[in-house]
Amino acid sequence: MKFTLSWLKDHLETDASLNEIVERLTSIGLEVEHVDDRSSLKPFVIARVLTAEQHPNADRLRVLTVDTGDGNAPVQVVCGAPNARAGLIGAFAAPGVYIPGIDVTLTVGKIRGVESHGMMCSERELELSEEHDGIIDLPADAPVGTSFAAYAHLDDPVIEINLTPNRPDATSVYGIARDLAASGLGRLVGGAIMPHAGSGMCPVKVTIEAPELCPGFALRLVKGVKNGPSPKWLQQRLIAIGLRPISALVDITNFVTFDRGRPLHVFDANKVAGNLTVRRARDGEKVLALDGREYTLTPDMCVIADQDGVESIAGIMGGEHSGCDENTTDVLIESALWDPISTARTGRTLGIISDARYRFERGVDPEFMVPGVELATKLVLDFCGGTPTETEVVGYAGHAPKIVSFPLSEVRRLTGIEVPMEESLDILVRLGFKSEGAGDVVNVAVPSWRPDVDGKADLVEEVMRIYGVDNIAPQPLGTHDAVNAKILTVLQVRTRAAKRALAVRGMMEAVTWSFIPAKHAELFGGGQTALKLANPIAADMSDMRPSLLPGLIAAAQRNADKGIGDVALFEVSGTYEGDAADQQRRVAAGVRRGTAKLDGSGRHWAGNAGPVGVFDAKADAIAALEACGAPVERLQIEAGGPAWYHPGRSGTIKLGPKVILGTFGEFHPKTLEELDVSGPLCGFEVFVDAVPEPKAKPTRTKPRLELSAFQAVKRDFAFVVDKAVESGTLTRAALAADRKLITNVSVFDVFEGASLGAAKKSIAIEVSIQPVEKTLTDEDFEALAKRIVENVHKQTGGVLRG
């Protein structure tokens, strides 16, 4: 929300400085984001052209001598403006001055061989308007040598505040002034609006077919207007807050929108066919809006239509067909109330961001609907002339204020501030609330412009922000006499551990949307049970994700599109299979693309790396489960996984026959095609909340971790086994040879070839041996190797490869 200081002072009578106003705004909850003191316009001075001669080397240029009023000799300026002439008084910029309209800092230069020591500026070059056919031409009494910004009232500071969604009343300059006045920084003025008597009834009638979307509608016809440019002061205010002046009629609606938080719309009455109807749009109905774009509407959207079709998207943007232009002579001024949820949904669906939508989706003051028409009527009559009719008001039943029972002691209980009861009530009254009753509990009537206030806590907040948050005394944190209890839950601990484990494996953490397209949700198991959003923020974000993989795969593809094809991403977050608590899971998932490999044994092979595959995803999944405390030695791997994986290159991780802890594999080509992604891709998902919690053990036990003083050793073995033998069976057999000495067994190679024989394969494993009691001799290693070979042969039929 932007406004100028002078605009604020139209409604706030105060002697406070700019710094005091800015500080107070932030202290009462209207955080100031930026203040533009308009210093960029201060270097421009009013100067007089003494002579204007034809440029010797250019037909369209003139050489001017300019008196800048500083007492020095006139300066020479080369100018191409058609209105450059002797005696003209305009805005001059010296070398070194920044010209905002063309984003240039001036220097002394030669133009067609003639030196130019500055510039006479047009309005567009100073960002005052789009006018650039000539330089600024000021009246003859303009004071030469003085600041042009001060003379033209362009030195008015612009304040920008950051509004929270619950403060619709602060979307207007008047509402901000009301808050400042309530805080004691001045007196609120300029609020009264006198009604205008009309001549006859409005000939255009309004019918509301969707009262649930439009609780009220006010309309007035003004005949015989003359539409042209709005006054200079109004144009300057709109330009200062980033709006482009269009015409008096349009500028009036923009002014009232920001001045009072009351969006309006003006129709060219001669372009409206018959009466107006407020209704739901028909499916597939289209409208060409004022932004020049055509929008296709749906039945859940509200429109204003005449007998020929849609004329306006209710609460968001008017139609181009009935828009006002320089030929408009009769105008319909519309001020209506629109349902906030419907307005927000329509704006998001159509992708329209407008000042009207910004206010209606937060909730405008219903009691200002008719005064808004009166204010607009006054401005139309002042700027454009004309004769108004009476105002047609349809559907509005009046505002019934909310009554909140307010125990004044709640201020002390909720904030810790000791505010006298009388002062608490006085603050509420200054903010527009009304109270009845005596004693500690009073009934407070909420004003119509504060739809965000629902209960006593909201009233406490109002008292606290005006009284001053700075009055809350700082309190040191209390100390405990005992050791702190456990803070993090098991799920939080596992989430942290899984993130660390996957990051150690060279994967980068990603945060993806919880909402995905319906097509992707169905692809990853959503189907008929997909959790659909009633009010999605976009059409392609309609379902809650049943899996983390769609978002991660899309992120990997976006990286590939930008030239980063080898990427490994992970995320630990929630998935949603339904709205029940047991259908929302904590999942750790990851994807690898291209050649983003990391061998689980820690080996980094020389040469070009091959593409990622099923075993990379398996190693990531096992690492995440191990970090979460899963009993890795008891895990079972079954071939095959969900439909989005390749059926022959995927697996399911189980703990027993029923508990599924995760899935992994290379993605099915059809899955990649449906997601419109390419490249070698593998991934995994492990269910963090499915890992059983370890059983509680007595506290008086020896530490489980014993650090050995002896050097660890690794030995490699290669076994020839039948193709049907799983690698996991072989590694468990090797590990069982001596669980005290062998700390880890990992597969680093699988080979198949004619030299091994039909239906045979070679599995190479690395065995990590950690001596505990003594340094092992060669004889000890030989004996251990013999037990490993015997164990593998006994359980898998494998023989040591020669």
Side-chain angles (χ1 to χ4, degrees), residues 603-616:
R603 295 173 182 260
H604 297 270
W605 301 99
N608 295 327
V612 294
V614 59
F615 294 112
D616 300 297

Side-chain angles (χ1 to χ4, degrees), residues 242-266:
L243 297 180
R244 179 173 62 89
I246 298 174
S247 67
L249 292 174
V250 177
D251 293 352
I252 286 170
T253 63
N254 286 330
F255 174 76
V256 177
T257 296
F258 280 83
D259 188 67
R260 295 304 185 97
R262 163 36 70 179
L264 305 170
H265 185 63
V266 288

Side-chain angles (χ1 to χ4, degrees), residues 582-607:
D582 60 349
Q583 292 177 304
Q584 301 177 22
R585 311 196 68 175
R586 179 60 56 89
V587 177
V591 297
R592 291 183 183 270
R593 187 188 186 281
T595 61
K597 299 170 67 72
L598 176 67
D599 191 322
S601 66
R603 295 173 182 260
H604 297 270
W605 301 99

Side-chain angles (χ1 to χ4, degrees), residues 475-524:
Q475 298 288 336
L477 289 174
T479 58
H480 299 283
D481 296 332
V483 176
N484 287 339
K486 183 179 180 181
I487 297 175
L488 298 180
T489 65
V490 172
L491 202 56
Q492 289 172 327
V493 172
R494 289 178 177 175
T495 298
R496 288 188 175 187
K499 288 182 178 182
R500 284 179 174 270
L502 294 173
V504 167
R505 293 184 57 78
M507 307 185 80
M508 293 180 290
E509 184 175 9
V511 179
T512 63
W513 288 102
S514 298
F515 321 126
I516 62 175
K519 177 182 176 182
H520 294 180
E522 293 175 5
L523 197 61
F524 282 81

Side-chain angles (χ1 to χ4, degrees), residues 275-525:
N275 296 323
L276 294 177
T277 302
V278 179
R279 59 173 173 80
R280 292 180 180 271
R282 300 183 179 95
D283 195 20
E285 204 166 21
K286 296 183 179 181
V287 61
L288 181 63
L290 288 171
D291 61 0
R293 297 171 58 190
E294 186 177 68
Y295 296 95
T296 302
L297 309 177
T298 60
D300 59 350
M301 300 177 183
C302 187
V303 299
I304 305 173
D306 62 9
Q307 65 184 24
D308 290 340
V310 177
E311 294 293 351
S312 175
I313 306 172
I316 295 177
M317 186 172 289
E320 189 174 87
H321 170 261
S322 57
C324 296
D325 54 32
E326 66 276 4
N327 299 316
T328 299
T329 57
D330 300 336
V331 62
L332 287 167
I333 304 174
E334 169 255 305
S335 175
L337 299 174
W338 307 109
D339 176 63
I341 295 177
S342 174
T343 303
R345 183 188 298 117
T346 300
R348 284 199 294 266
T349 301
L350 299 179
I352 301 177
I353 300 174
S354 66
D355 293 319
R357 172 195 163 185
Y358 180 83
R359 287 157 177 80
F360 279 123
E361 68 184 6
R362 285 161 171 76
V364 300
D365 182 2
E367 290 290 87
F368 200 77
M369 182 180 73
V370 175
V373 173
E374 299 291 352
L375 177 57
T377 301
K378 176 184 182 304
L379 295 173
V380 169
L381 297 180
D382 289 347
F383 302 161
C384 307
T387 304
T389 66
E390 293 291 337
T391 301
E392 173 93 358
V393 181
V394 181
Y396 185 56
H399 174 70
K402 287 181 287 189
I403 306 298
V404 179
S405 179
F406 182 38
L408 294 170
S409 58
E410 286 292 280
V411 177
R412 175 71 178 85
R413 187 181 73 84
L414 294 179
T415 69
I417 306 176
E418 196 67 61
V419 182
M421 293 185 180
E422 297 78 9
E423 188 166 357
S424 295
L425 291 175
D426 184 52
I427 288 173
L428 293 175
V429 169
R430 297 201 303 267
L431 287 170
F433 296 83
K434 296 179 181 178
S435 63
E436 292 182 358
D440 178 61
V441 181
V442 296
N443 290 326
V444 176
V446 180
S448 58
W449 58 83
R450 291 304 301 272
D452 59 302
V453 176
D454 285 318
K456 58 186 180 181
D458 298 321
L459 296 176
V460 171
E461 181 183 1
E462 294 301 299
V463 173
M464 177 187 67
R465 70 184 183 86
I466 299 299
Y467 184 77
V469 179
D470 293 343
N471 290 317
I472 300 177
Q475 298 288 336
L477 289 174
T479 58
H480 299 283
D481 296 332
V483 176
N484 287 339
K486 183 179 180 181
I487 297 175
L488 298 180
T489 65
V490 172
L491 202 56
Q492 289 172 327
V493 172
R494 289 178 177 175
T495 298
R496 288 188 175 187
K499 288 182 178 182
R500 284 179 174 270
L502 294 173
V504 167
R505 293 184 57 78
M507 307 185 80
M508 293 180 290
E509 184 175 9
V511 179
T512 63
W513 288 102
S514 298
F515 321 126
I516 62 175
K519 177 182 176 182
H520 294 180
E522 293 175 5
L523 197 61
F524 282 81

